[in-house]
Amino acid sequence: GIQVEQSPPDLILQEGANSTLRCNFSDSVNNLQWFHQNPWGQLINLFYIPSGTKQNGRLSATTVATERYSLLYISSSQTTDSGVYFCAVVRGDMRFGAGTRLTVKP
Amino acid sequence: DAGVTQSPTHLIKTRGQQVTLRCSPISGHKSVSWYQQVLGQGPQFIFQYYEKEERGRGNFPDRFSARQFPNYSSELNVNALLLGDSALYLCASSSKNRKLAGAKDEQFFGPGTRLTVL
């Protein structure tokens, strides 16, 4: 089956810093989504981005489908950005990466 | 509009028991998928149902089963519970059948049911 790798596994930032999270996948996909999982387990939709670039406030994402990777950019990070960020791809079924755990310190 | 809802929120069972988890999709969504998330890992796909038919199954034993009702809500059943079944069970809904070529859908997740097996 398709493999999804996220990096880095852990990231610690000071408030106000910028970060880039990466998602590599092993085969062509139909869809790709980025999620933020809060401490209570809720998966919050960030981007639906099978290709191209999207922006939403301080967050933006780029997927280069031909090179099989996606990037999530977080600018001017805030403590509320802390949590686990998941990339998930769809090729038949939805497959998740192992996530990037982000900690933003005040 | 209400999002995806799941019940119960938490559940404690003992080994060998059976459990039923419930999910109501977003209004208008006909596809429901179930995922298992064990601590420290990403969610793993269990089932997808679309228009009351099973459209996908992950690598889970036959102790796991599901069904979808005419109102598109869904139940996940797990028989003969094992300690390793302890996890967060997530339900997601979308408006599309992912098995269709070219289908473009976005998955929306419920808050999950946290199952503890003792």
Side-chain angles (χ1 to χ4, degrees):
Chain A
I2 191 168
Q3 304 297 314
V4 183
E5 295 183 357
Q6 291 188 243
S7 60
D10 293 280
L11 189 57
I12 301 174
L13 300 173
Q14 286 297 131
E15 201 168 25
N18 302 328
S19 61
T20 300
L21 283 59
R22 187 178 181 100
C23 172
N24 292 332
F25 42 97
S26 61
D27 207 339
S28 60
V29 298
N30 298 324
N31 309 318
L32 187 147
Q33 288 186 247
W34 282 97
F35 297 93
H36 176 211
Q37 189 166 43
N38 66 21
W40 299 272
Q42 175 78 57
L43 281 170
I44 299 164
N45 288 36
L46 297 177
F47 293 101
Y48 171 82
I49 186 166
S51 64
T53 298
K54 290 186 178 180
Q55 181 159 5
N56 184 6
R58 296 181 297 104
L59 274 60
S60 64
T62 295
T63 297
V64 184
T66 53
E67 297 187 19
R68 299 179 186 168
Y69 74 88
S70 183
L71 302 174
L72 178 68
Y73 305 95
I74 304 174
S75 64
S76 304
S77 58
Q78 301 175 359
T79 56
T80 52
D81 294 332
S82 296
V84 182
Y85 289 80
F86 287 105
C87 162
V89 302
V90 175
R91 181 184 170 87
D93 307 319
M94 179 170 266
R95 295 285 182 101
F96 283 77
T100 292
R101 181 173 297 278
L102 174 65
T103 303
V104 181
K105 295 188 173 183
Chain B
D1 286 340
V4 179
T5 59
Q6 293 186 243
S7 63
T9 305
H10 295 86
L11 204 51
I12 298 175
K13 293 285 189 178
T14 56
R15 281 178 297 175
Q17 286 189 311
Q18 175 264 342
V19 68
T20 298
L21 311 181
R22 296 175 176 83
C23 171
S24 291
I26 291 171
S27 177
H29 284 190
K30 298 181 179 180
S31 175
V32 169
S33 299
W34 288 95
Y35 298 81
Q36 180 197 65
Q37 186 179 20
V38 299
L39 197 62
Q41 297 181 19
Q44 282 197 299
F45 171 74
I46 310 175
F47 287 110
Q48 185 207 5
Y49 276 77
Y50 181 80
E51 289 277 18
K52 295 165 284 182
E53 291 186 6
E54 182 183 306
R55 298 302 179 103
R57 173 185 281 257
N59 188 23
F60 280 80
D62 291 343
R63 299 185 296 108
F64 288 77
S65 64
R67 56 180 176 169
Q68 188 176 32
F69 299 98
N71 66 353
Y72 304 112
S73 66
S74 177
E75 287 183 351
L76 176 70
N77 296 285
V78 187
N79 294 323
L81 285 167
L82 303 174
L83 296 179
D85 295 330
S86 294
L88 179 67
Y89 288 85
L90 296 162
C91 172
S93 78
S94 75
S95 58
K96 298 286 188 178
N97 178 1
R98 273 188 268 125
K99 291 294 188 183
L100 289 176
K104 296 183 179 181
D105 69 312
E106 183 173 0
Q107 302 287 305
F108 295 87
F109 283 79
T113 293
R114 195 166 297 277
L115 172 65
T116 302
V117 182
L118 302 175

